[in-house]
Amino acid sequence: MKGTPVFKELSFHGIIGQSAALEKTKDMVRRINDTKVTTLINGESGTGKELVARAIHYSGKFANSPFVAVNCGGIPENLLESELFGYAKGAFTGADSTRAGFFQAANGGTIFLDEIGNASLQVQQRLLRVLQEKEVTMIGSQKVQKIDVRVIAATNGDLLKMSKNGSFREDLYYRLNVVNIEIPALRERKDDIPLLANYFVRKFAREFGKPRVKITERAMDILLRYSWPGNIRELENTIQRALIMCDGEIGAEQLPAFLKVSAPEVSDE
């Protein structure tokens, strides 16, 4: 499809954009991708923290090693510990066999711990030992397993503040925060909105089998004026809906009303 090379040129392992704010993020990725330094990624929800973690892994020399992503906020607290570290047969009711955890699966590669602030204090204690000793002990076992895993954690919260009020271990925070990468919110990189919007148009046009669709200048002006509290995820969902509703081009009428309220100069009136 015509124009595809432009997106490839401006994409860095899935990270799309060329704004100054995003270039700082990509520069940090390039500086650490060939190391196994522990990294903490900070960013609002929807900014693409897992995308950055994957870029760190797949752009470096460990790209052929395992990459395991774990959503610590999406696994019940009573299961997270056994999912991360594994368990021995008979460790608890229902443990009918020995099962390795995510850390063992990521051995030699990278484990990405998203929403790390949701981990219980007990899990945090085990994570601290992994980082300090480079070893894992399954639940219900006394056997220590040495592992070689790069840990990348992410949060949309303030772990330092949490460490001060006791909801997150301060020693673990400093162990995780060896390298810190701040991902800019979409409102801080508005130069990238046209590129991202057109990328999503092409993506969903292919998915839905639609012919080439364009975004009108009026609609793009509305997209540029909105603050995007949901960041890239919100933009992606907006474009997906607009493309479904449009015939040939995405105009202001295909965009949600609340977006146009934020840009009265280009409203439908």
Side-chain angles (χ1 to χ4, degrees):
M1 187 176 289
K2 185 179 178 181
T4 300
V6 175
F7 290 102
K8 287 184 177 179
E9 181 181 338
L10 297 176
S11 171
F12 177 70
H13 291 271
I15 302 174
I16 296 173
Q18 55 184 349
S19 62
L22 190 64
E23 287 300 323
K24 291 181 180 178
T25 299
K26 290 191 285 187
D27 179 64
M28 286 294 294
V29 170
R30 294 186 184 97
R31 289 179 182 275
I32 66 173
N33 59 1
D34 285 336
T35 75
K36 287 197 173 179
V37 63
T38 304
T39 302
L40 180 63
I41 301 174
N42 291 94
E44 296 178 8
S45 179
T47 51
K49 294 184 288 294
E50 183 172 340
L51 198 63
V52 171
R54 288 182 179 275
I56 293 170
H57 179 78
Y58 288 108
S59 67
K61 64 183 182 182
F62 304 109
N64 293 325
S65 301
F67 177 91
V68 177
V70 183
N71 182 354
C72 298
I75 300 175
E77 184 177 325
N78 62 327
L79 294 179
L80 183 59
E81 187 175 11
S82 60
E83 290 294 311
L84 285 174
F85 309 108
Y87 54 83
K89 182 178 180 180
F92 49 80
T93 302
D96 299 325
S97 60
T98 297
R99 180 181 171 185
F102 290 128
F103 268 96
Q104 290 92 335
N107 195 24
T110 302
I111 189 167
F112 172 59
L113 304 175
D114 198 9
E115 297 187 38
I116 188 63
N118 291 87
S120 68
L121 290 174
Q122 183 172 338
V123 170
Q124 291 176 35
Q125 170 62 37
R126 280 184 170 267
L127 285 174
L128 184 63
R129 182 166 184 81
V130 172
L131 293 170
Q132 288 177 332
E133 309 298 335
K134 305 295 183 184
E135 61 186 31
V136 169
T137 304
M138 287 184 171
I139 296 173
S141 172
Q142 300 299 317
K143 184 179 179 181
V144 173
Q145 298 173 290
K146 285 292 182 180
I147 58 169
D148 175 24
V149 175
R150 169 170 51 190
V151 176
I152 302 176
T155 179
N156 58 13
D158 188 339
L159 289 189
L160 180 58
K161 183 177 180 180
M162 292 174 64
S163 72
K164 299 303 181 184
N165 65 29
S167 59
F168 197 84
R169 292 183 63 106
E170 188 171 16
D171 47 3
L172 178 59
Y173 167 72
Y174 287 112
R175 282 282 180 177
L176 291 172
N177 199 37
V178 178
V179 171
N180 185 280
I181 297 179
E182 293 281 347
I183 304 180
L186 188 54
R187 64 181 174 275
E188 298 169 347
R189 44 176 292 212
K190 287 199 169 186
D191 290 350
D192 291 330
I193 289 177
L195 187 64
L196 286 162
N198 282 297
Y199 169 78
F200 291 133
V201 165
R202 295 173 68 86
K203 171 185 174 181
F204 292 117
R206 288 193 299 268
E207 183 176 326
F208 301 141
K210 285 204 169 192
R212 168 168 278 192
V213 176
K214 295 174 62 177
I215 303 176
T216 67
E217 185 176 342
R218 189 180 184 197
M220 186 63 77
D221 198 9
I222 293 172
L223 297 178
L224 286 165
R225 291 170 184 267
Y226 184 56
S227 61
W228 299 107
N231 293 292
I232 299 172
R233 186 181 297 123
E234 184 182 10
L235 175 62
E236 180 178 11
N237 292 341
T238 298
I239 296 298
Q240 182 179 21
R241 175 191 179 278
L243 191 137
I244 292 171
M245 302 302 294
C246 81
D247 294 306
E249 65 178 18
I250 295 175
E253 60 272 19
Q254 278 80 46
L255 298 177
F258 64 86
L259 263 70
K260 289 172 273 190
V261 169
S262 69
E265 300 91 333
V266 291
S267 68
D268 286 332
E269 299 301 324

